[in-house]
Amino acid sequence: KNEVEQSPQNLTAQEGEFITINCSYSVGISALHWLQQHPGGGIVSLFMLSSGKKKHGRLIATINIQEKHSSLHITASHPRDSAVYICAVRWGNQFYFGTGTSLTVIP
Amino acid sequence: GAVVSQHPSRVICKSGTSVKIECRSLDFQATTMFWYRQFPKQSLMLMATSNEGSKATYEQGVEKDKFLINHASLTLSTLTVTSAHPEDSSFYICSVDDRTAGNTIYFGEGSWLTVV
C-alpha cells in the first residue's frame, strides 16, 4: 500500500496570495495527479506528473521523485480557486489518494 | 465537454430498495472503470475495479453482493446499491483511465446517494 499524506488539511488565504499545498508518498510511483474537487463533488484532474514541473495558467505543480514529494502552487489566488485539492498517486494499476486540502480564498 | 458522464447526480431512496448509478465514457472506449466512495471530509476510497466483459474486482471489505457492478460494454459501467441502508448514504464517483492519452484520469460528476 502507498501512504499518501497531504498538508495542510485546511488553508484559508486572502485573494492574491501565493499558495502551496504539499504531498508526500511512501513508495515509488509511475505518476502523480493533482485533482480539484468543487463543493458539488465533481473532480477535475489538474496535472499528471512523473517528473519535473508543469504549469497551467496560475497553477504550477512540481515533483521530486527522489524525495517522494510533490507540491501544487497557486499564484495570485482567487476566490474561484476555493475547492478541495487532492493528491493521487498511481502505483501499479491502482490509485492512492491523499485526504485532500480544503482551500478557501477570501476576497 | 465531459469525458465521463455519471447519472444520476443526486438520488434519494428508501431503505431496502436498490439504486443504480451509471458511468459512461463518452470519448473513448474504457475496458476498465473504477468506482469510489467518499464520506464527508474524507478521501476517495476505491470500492471496485470494473472490467468490461468480466467480473469486477472488489476491494477488501466491500460486499460484492451489495454493490453490484456490471460493465457490459466498453462505454458503460453500472453500480447498483442493493437493499440500501442509511449507512450507504455517501458520494459515489467513477473514474476512467485514458491509456491512449498517457494514462490521463477522468472522473464522472459523482452521485450523491441519500437513503432514508
Side-chain angles (χ1 to χ4, degrees):
Chain A
K1 185 179 176 181
N2 208 329
E3 302 289 339
V4 182
E5 293 187 359
Q6 270 184 253
S7 62
Q9 285 191 329
N10 297 285
L11 182 56
T12 300
Q14 288 292 133
E15 183 173 357
E17 284 186 8
F18 180 83
I19 288 162
T20 296
I21 300 170
N22 296 300
C23 174
S24 61
Y25 50 93
S26 58
V27 183
I29 59 172
S30 56
L32 181 145
H33 296 254
W34 280 103
L35 311 172
Q36 181 189 56
Q37 185 173 29
H38 280 282
I43 296 176
V44 173
S45 177
L46 299 173
F47 293 105
M48 182 179 71
L49 294 163
S50 54
S51 65
K53 174 180 174 179
K54 286 190 176 180
K55 184 176 188 293
H56 181 70
R58 295 180 294 105
L59 302 178
I60 302 167
T62 63
I63 188 169
N64 185 316
I65 297 295
Q66 286 73 31
E67 294 186 3
K68 299 185 178 63
H69 180 269
S70 175
S71 294
L72 175 68
H73 306 285
I74 304 176
T75 61
S77 59
H78 190 277
R80 63 175 175 266
D81 297 326
S82 298
V84 175
Y85 293 84
I86 302 169
C87 167
V89 301
R90 177 190 287 274
W91 187 51
N93 289 324
Q94 285 206 5
F95 282 95
Y96 293 88
F97 297 87
T99 52
T101 296
S102 179
L103 171 65
T104 303
V105 181
I106 300 171
Chain B
V3 176
V4 178
S5 175
Q6 195 172 332
H7 178 81
S9 58
R10 290 184 180 274
V11 58
I12 300 172
C13 71
K14 291 185 177 180
S15 291
T17 62
S18 295
V19 173
K20 182 186 286 187
I21 301 170
E22 294 186 346
C23 180
R24 291 181 185 276
S25 174
L26 302 179
D27 286 356
F28 56 92
Q29 295 180 331
T31 56
T32 304
M33 294 185 179
F34 302 91
W35 285 97
Y36 300 91
R37 182 175 183 176
Q38 186 180 36
F39 290 106
K41 298 194 182 298
Q42 293 189 24
S43 189
L44 298 166
M45 181 192 78
L46 179 66
M47 297 176 66
T49 302
S50 172
N51 304 300
E52 188 268 335
S54 65
K55 292 182 179 179
T57 305
Y58 289 82
E59 294 300 300
Q60 192 171 11
V62 178
E63 299 176 59
K64 62 181 180 182
D65 293 331
K66 180 167 183 62
F67 298 99
L68 299 178
I69 290 173
N70 183 281
H71 194 152
S73 77
L74 287 169
T75 58
L76 175 64
S77 175
T78 60
L79 168 68
T80 302
V81 183
T82 63
S83 188
H85 286 173
E87 55 263 33
D88 298 327
S89 300
S90 186
F91 182 69
Y92 295 87
I93 191 165
C94 66
S95 76
V96 179
D97 281 356
D98 184 357
R99 295 183 183 270
T100 64
N103 288 334
T104 302
I105 184 171
Y106 297 100
F107 286 87
E109 302 93 335
S111 301
W112 291 96
L113 170 63
T114 302
V115 184
V116 298

